[in-house]
Amino acid sequence: TNGVTAVTNTFDATEFGEPAVDCTGYSISHGVWYQVTTPTNNVRLDISTCGSSYSTSLLVYTGGCGAAGTLVQCSRGNTPFNCSSSLAGLSFSATSNTTYYILAASQYPSSGTLNIVANLVTPPFNDTCANATILTNGVTAVTNTFDATEFGDPALDCTGNTIGHGVWYSLTAFSGQQVTINTCGSSYRTVLQVYTNACGAPGSPVQCARNSNPFGCSSSFSGLSFIAPTNTTYNILVAGQFSDAGTLNIVANVPPPTNDVCSGAVVMTNGVTYSTNTTYATSIGDPVPSCSPSFGRGVWYRYTPSVSGQVGVTTCGSSFQTALAVYTGTCDSPTEVACSQNN
């Protein structure tokens, strides 16, 4: 019964009709059987033997018991539920309207009091791409992903490593916008994969990140920063590295600096240094300087000299490689008068 712990003394259980070894090739004995049937929706099925008095193994079948069925999951210790590592536990994506047959056995010839509980847990609403949560610019979305399933998600990320417990988000960006997505502050190792195709046929991601982010937090929290080439809606899969799960923090498109556009240019005073974090600056509306075609994430300043003469502008002391372009005229119709890269 969902959520109810069954307690059994397995000392007198036999091995008739049971496999002699588990999926790791080690011997098992004193097995007892249980079954659980999933509801009409896909769920995450958690099976735990925490609290048992002996080392346990779990083997889960569909289609029938033992040799009559198909082994779909197994565990010899290594519970994901934070009890003793000798007590078996499983957490996996379970298909709707399916009966699972569970063999709970002992490692080697041991036995004792078995505690076993199954929980049929409804996954988060955004467990599937079709129900992706829309991200609001600059607002952190918080989700517990422990009960997320893998239905419809790729098994591997773009680096070829396994992922699990994925949840989905969507974001619409404008042409030329600097799109930023980060999972800083999450409680587990994350992977980001960004798609532009429809949910039913996601294809290959257009952007992905595992163990890297450009936002200065731990490298185990993935992050991405890229320019949207066109007005585009992105579907974003956030998954755990391997079988990681926990509290996910995700935020997209933190507001850019106030001088991100020409009309918001900061007025400069002679001899005063101005400091700006350009991580979230965009390229929307920025001209392309003649000396730096790959120019991006521009921020704007305005200077009006009081007398004619030589003007010096420097970015010395900045933390990244910079380029400078100087314009006269209006924001709508600028005329380049000077340009510098690496000089």
Side-chain angles (χ1 to χ4, degrees):
T1 301
N2 187 24
V4 177
T5 300
V7 181
T8 303
N9 188 311
T10 64
F11 184 80
D12 296 321
T14 72
E15 291 75 45
F16 290 112
E18 297 165 9
V21 295
D22 63 18
C23 58
T24 67
Y26 286 94
S27 61
I28 54 176
S29 65
H30 295 266
V32 286
W33 287 86
Y34 299 86
Q35 70 178 50
V36 61
T37 301
T38 56
T40 54
N41 58 289
N42 296 332
V43 296
R44 189 150 204 102
L45 177 53
D46 298 330
I47 307 170
S48 168
T49 62
C50 291
S52 300
S53 67
Y54 61 99
S55 299
T56 56
S57 289
L58 285 171
L59 291 86
V60 181
Y61 299 83
T62 55
C65 299
T70 301
L71 180 67
V72 292
Q73 295 286 332
C74 65
S75 170
R76 184 186 183 92
N78 300 317
T79 176
F81 305 110
N82 297 322
C83 62
S84 170
S85 61
S86 66
L87 301 174
L90 289 165
S91 179
F92 61 94
S93 301
T95 309
S96 61
N97 296 316
T98 301
T99 297
Y100 291 90
Y101 300 90
I102 305 160
L103 173 62
S106 66
Q107 298 179 27
Y108 308 109
S110 58
S111 61
T113 301
L114 170 70
N115 292 349
I116 184 169
V117 61
N119 289 291
L120 301 162
V121 187
T122 299
F125 178 78
N126 61 336
D127 185 57
T128 61
C129 179
N131 291 328
T133 296
I134 298 174
L135 289 172
T136 300
N137 285 354
V139 177
T140 300
V142 181
T143 303
N144 188 310
T145 65
F146 186 82
D147 297 320
T149 73
E150 289 75 48
F151 288 111
D153 299 346
L156 304 174
D157 65 16
C158 58
T159 68
N161 288 299
T162 58
I163 55 177
H165 295 265
V167 286
W168 289 85
Y169 298 87
S170 69
L171 176 70
T172 300
F174 301 104
S175 177
Q177 181 175 353
Q178 190 75 36
V179 179
T180 60
I181 309 167
N182 84 68
T183 61
C184 294
S186 301
S187 68
Y188 64 101
R189 299 171 298 174
T190 59
V191 172
L192 276 173
Q193 305 221 130
V194 180
Y195 300 85
T196 53
N197 292 344
C199 287
S204 298
V206 293
Q207 296 285 336
C208 61
R210 181 188 185 107
N211 291 335
S212 64
N213 76 80
F215 305 107
C217 62
S218 169
S219 61
S220 64
F221 303 136
S222 53
L224 289 166
S225 182
F226 59 94
I227 295 176
T230 58
N231 294 345
T232 307
T233 295
Y234 295 99
N235 293 315
I236 305 161
L237 172 64
V238 188
Q241 296 183 28
F242 306 108
S243 60
D244 283 10
T247 301
L248 168 68
N249 292 346
I250 180 171
V251 62
N253 293 350
V254 173
T258 55
N259 60 336
D260 183 58
V261 293
C262 178
S263 59
V266 171
V267 177
M268 301 183 77
T269 301
N270 281 347
V272 177
T273 299
Y274 298 84
S275 295
T276 302
N277 187 321
T278 64
T279 299
Y280 298 107
T282 75
S283 304
I284 297 175
D286 293 350
V288 179
S290 61
C291 64
S292 182
S294 59
F295 192 86
R297 299 194 198 185
V299 287
W300 288 86
Y301 299 86
R302 178 178 295 136
Y303 178 65
T304 304
S306 57
V307 295
S308 298
Q310 192 74 17
V311 176
V313 187
T314 176
T315 60
C316 289
S318 299
S319 66
F320 61 97
Q321 182 177 338
T322 61
L324 276 171
V326 181
Y327 301 87
T328 57
T330 65
C331 289
D332 293 333
S333 182
T335 299
E336 184 182 298
V337 295
C339 190
S340 170
Q341 182 181 30
N342 299 333
N343 290 298

